[in-house]
Amino acid sequence: MEKLHPIMFVGTGSDVGKSILVTGICRLLQQKGYSPAPFKAQNMSLNSFVTPDGLEIGRAQAVQAEACKIDCTTDMNPILLKPSGANKSQVVLHGKPIGDQTIKEYFLGDNKKQLFAEAKTAFHRLQKKYNPIVLEGAGSISELNLKHRDIVNMRMAEAANADVYLIADIDKGGVFASVYGSIALLEPWEKKMIKGVIINKFRGDVSLFEEGKKMLEELTQIPIMGIVPYDKDIYIEEEDSVGLHKKNKTITSKQINIAVVLLPYISNYTDFNVLEKDARTHVFYSNDPEHIAQADIIILPGSKNTIQDLIFLREKGIAKVILKAYEEQKTVIGICGGYQMLGKTIEDPWGVESDIKTIPGLGIFPISTILAKEKTTTQSNFTFKNSSEIITGYEIHMGQTTIKKKSPLTYIKDQPEGYLQGNCWGTYIHGILDHSIVIEDLLKNFSTTKTSFDYKAYKEDNYDKLATLLEENIDINSIISKMHS
């Protein structure tokens, strides 16, 4: 079989749409009969996913693998950084945590050579199974002070012998300066790798930018491969905290108000994507006690630093709001770190999260958690409450929870999991709210109307829509031709 050139999409900066564009290219190539796979050497994300073999990767690469119609593996994202404190991240290598480092330690330390070697090894393993590999860069390609330590942008492109395409976000403004400046700051060997530029998130009549396109091509001597319209109707899961800024912040009327507590170290807020799509609900993210108090349902989400977020709940007065909601028999649920916070105590004897050895929880559930040295990462098939229907989710947590009085919410292979107490429940299972049986149970006291929403089919439809959008607006034939050259 012909070995195709990998293709890589890099950006003039952060949040230019690289992840979503790679997702669309993956689906488009899959539709055209290729066997693509995504790759991002190093990813920083609050949202992660568990591979079928129980290892952790960035959520974006799991989404991109889904667009390729293949299972995700850690080779698609060998290095994952998960923010866990002030200027500190947990470093996950090949799906397993290897320790915490400050941003300075990570970017200026001596371990980048070894991590780069690990990333290249993962890439070459992946390349033996899939063809072509679609790589994603990170941030800007022209960070002069960091380039010599780069393991995710142009140095990775060189190692992969990839055709590189530069993405710029015209919606932010300053597209001429960002494209020209990014290319001008590249070294000669880097410039040779840039095969084209893609202008992303264009609003309005694309023909009005025709003159601008010619100007950019004359300035950079690099072809503009496409101008992609801004399309807010296409839904692709967002990975990073940038997506939180686009979400609802306050309550509304005539809908079921669901408050997701906006924790400083919130993680895996993709848990609530399906709830957000339900016409009966209004999901909003807030750390305002007054707004949270007015919600019909309160959700404590996952956290990358449960102890610090628990302290935050008390300092902001949100803890009192949650306890009052529980006393008033409102619905309060906790997922992963949020589940731990609803218990009696959280202990951290090995300093996994902080120097605080033990801290009282909110005391709603008779459970106690000890933060362990080893992280639990697993996909789960489970049943919910009294239902016999088997549904799926995944677990990612450092804590081991002891339950004094069994009142399970779910069963995993006949083993009890989580806790159910009146209208309140908690669980370690991410993705539990992706399922209609759970959502209908959650909303039963507020709505007699039932809806049926096939989230998997919905995502598949949107991958196809994104592929169509890109095929209509990018010179994909030229990109494919270069892949074969």
Side-chain angles (χ1 to χ4, degrees):
M1 185 176 69
E2 178 191 5
K3 186 178 179 181
L4 302 172
H5 270 279
I7 53 177
M8 184 173 196
F9 295 89
V10 297
T12 57
S14 299
D15 193 32
V16 297
K18 294 186 292 291
S19 294
I20 290 177
L21 197 142
V22 167
T23 302
I25 292 292
C26 283
R27 174 51 61 96
L28 185 52
L29 291 173
Q30 188 274 333
Q31 289 175 342
K32 291 182 177 296
Y34 295 95
S35 302
F39 178 85
K40 187 168 185 175
Q42 168 198 291
N43 197 357
M44 177 176 279
S45 177
L46 294 168
N47 292 320
S48 58
F49 191 72
V50 175
T51 65
D53 51 349
L55 299 168
E56 189 176 12
I57 67 169
R59 184 86 185 190
Q61 282 63 62
V63 169
Q64 291 159 359
E66 192 171 60
C68 294
K69 297 190 176 183
I70 57 177
D71 286 336
C72 57
T73 72
T74 59
D75 283 344
M76 297 171 184
N77 175 212
I79 302 157
L80 174 64
L81 306 178
K82 300 189 73 176
S84 58
N87 299 316
K88 185 175 76 170
S89 289
Q90 182 183 70
V91 182
V92 179
L93 178 63
H94 300 313
K96 290 291 186 182
I98 59 172
D100 283 13
Q101 286 191 325
T102 66
I103 299 302
K104 183 176 180 180
E105 287 169 342
Y106 181 80
F107 285 103
L108 300 183
D110 295 329
N111 65 338
K112 293 296 283 291
K113 288 182 181 178
Q114 182 60 37
L115 290 175
F116 191 28
E118 295 288 346
K120 288 186 286 187
T121 299
F123 170 82
H124 291 302
R125 269 198 306 262
L126 196 65
Q127 197 176 33
K128 290 177 182 177
K129 299 178 182 177
Y130 302 101
N131 196 22
I133 306 300
V134 186
L135 295 89
E136 180 186 340
S140 164
I141 57 167
S142 301
E143 300 291 352
L144 298 182
N145 59 321
L146 298 175
K147 276 174 63 173
H148 65 295
R149 297 176 183 274
D150 165 50
I151 66 171
V152 67
N153 287 314
M154 299 307 290
R155 287 176 68 210
M156 187 66 231
E158 181 185 37
N161 191 27
D163 296 332
V164 180
Y165 297 91
L166 178 65
I167 304 171
D169 178 1
I170 196 169
D171 193 43
K172 289 180 175 177
V175 72
F176 289 94
S178 64
V179 171
Y180 179 75
S182 294
I183 293 170
L185 291 171
L186 295 177
E187 296 176 31
W189 68 267
E190 294 173 310
K191 287 181 184 178
K192 287 181 182 178
M193 300 186 72
I194 306 290
K195 306 301 181 186
V197 175
I198 296 171
I199 306 298
N200 199 20
K201 303 182 188 178
F202 189 92
R203 296 178 189 259
D205 187 347
V206 173
S207 65
L208 296 176
F209 193 67
E210 192 60 36
E211 185 179 359
K213 174 184 172 182
K214 291 177 182 176
M215 288 177 175
L216 265 178
E217 289 178 331
E218 289 173 4
L219 279 168
T220 63
Q221 295 299 299
I222 294 172
I224 305 297
M225 306 298 290
I227 302 171
V228 181
Y230 187 96
D231 193 331
K232 63 181 178 59
D233 294 326
I234 293 178
Y235 169 82
I236 304 294
E237 283 187 3
E238 295 196 75
E239 176 185 63
D240 298 313
S241 57
V242 173
L244 280 173
H245 300 311
K246 303 174 186 176
K247 296 186 181 294
N248 299 320
K249 303 291 194 301
T250 59
I251 63 169
T252 188
S253 58
K254 298 180 181 178
Q255 285 177 292
I256 304 165
N257 280 290
I258 301 177
V260 177
V261 180
L262 189 55
L263 302 168
Y265 299 105
I266 187 173
S267 67
N268 287 71
Y269 56 84
T270 48
D271 281 338
F272 316 115
N273 287 346
V274 177
L275 267 181
E276 291 175 13
K277 296 293 176 188
D278 195 305
R280 297 167 295 178
T281 69
H282 175 79
V283 179
F284 68 98
Y285 294 71
S286 178
N287 54 27
D288 185 324
E290 290 185 12
H291 289 158
I292 295 169
Q294 295 176 65
D296 301 300
I297 297 169
I298 299 174
I299 300 178
L300 270 174
S303 167
K304 267 307 294 141
N305 195 316
T306 308
I307 289 176
Q308 289 301 318
D309 279 343
L310 189 50
I311 292 170
F312 170 81
L313 292 182
R314 291 194 166 100
E315 289 178 345
K316 287 283 288 186
I318 298 170
K320 290 181 179 178
V321 168
I322 293 172
L323 290 171
K324 185 177 180 183
Y326 168 67
E327 290 169 2
E328 293 174 349
Q329 298 186 332
K330 282 188 176 182
T331 300
V332 178
I333 68 175
I335 297 176
C336 200
Y339 170 45
Q340 295 172 349
M341 293 181 212
L342 292 174
K344 298 293 184 183
T345 58
I346 299 174
E347 296 179 46
D348 190 4
W350 293 285
V352 173
E353 288 188 353
S354 73
D355 295 330
I356 299 171
K357 297 302 181 186
T358 185
I359 187 171
L362 299 182
I364 292 176
F365 299 151
I367 66 173
S368 298
T369 299
I370 297 177
L371 299 182
K373 293 179 181 179
E374 296 293 321
K375 180 183 281 191
T376 298
T377 52
T378 183
Q379 291 191 355
S380 303
N381 295 320
F382 63 97
T383 58
F384 178 75
K385 291 190 175 179
N386 296 322
S387 172
S388 60
E389 180 184 346
I390 297 174
I391 51 181
T392 60
Y394 60 99
E395 297 180 46
I396 305 174
H397 54 91
M398 299 297 291
Q400 298 297 325
T401 295
T402 302
I403 302 174
K404 293 181 180 178
K405 179 184 176 184
K406 295 285 191 279
S407 180
L409 175 75
T410 69
Y411 283 89
I412 302 174
K413 295 179 180 178
D414 296 325
Q415 293 300 308
E417 188 280 332
Y419 200 83
L420 174 63
Q421 186 165 298
N423 293 328
C424 303
W425 54 260
T427 180
Y428 272 122
I429 301 173
H430 293 289
I432 190 170
L433 290 167
D434 287 356
H435 303 284
S436 294
I437 187 172
V438 181
I439 289 179
E440 293 306 325
D441 180 82
L442 180 67
L443 304 182
K444 67 180 184 295
N445 293 333
F446 305 95
S447 174
T448 55
T449 304
K450 290 191 175 183
T451 63
S452 178
F453 181 65
D454 187 333
Y455 188 40
K456 185 175 181 180
Y458 177 76
K459 288 191 291 182
E460 283 294 312
D461 183 48
N462 278 273
Y463 293 144
D464 289 340
K465 287 179 181 177
L466 179 58
T468 299
L469 179 75
L470 296 186
E471 185 165 33
E472 290 173 350
N473 293 282
I474 290 177
D475 186 359
I476 190 66
N477 291 329
S478 178
I479 292 174
I480 289 175
S481 176
K482 286 181 172 64
M483 274 173 21
H484 286 275
S485 63

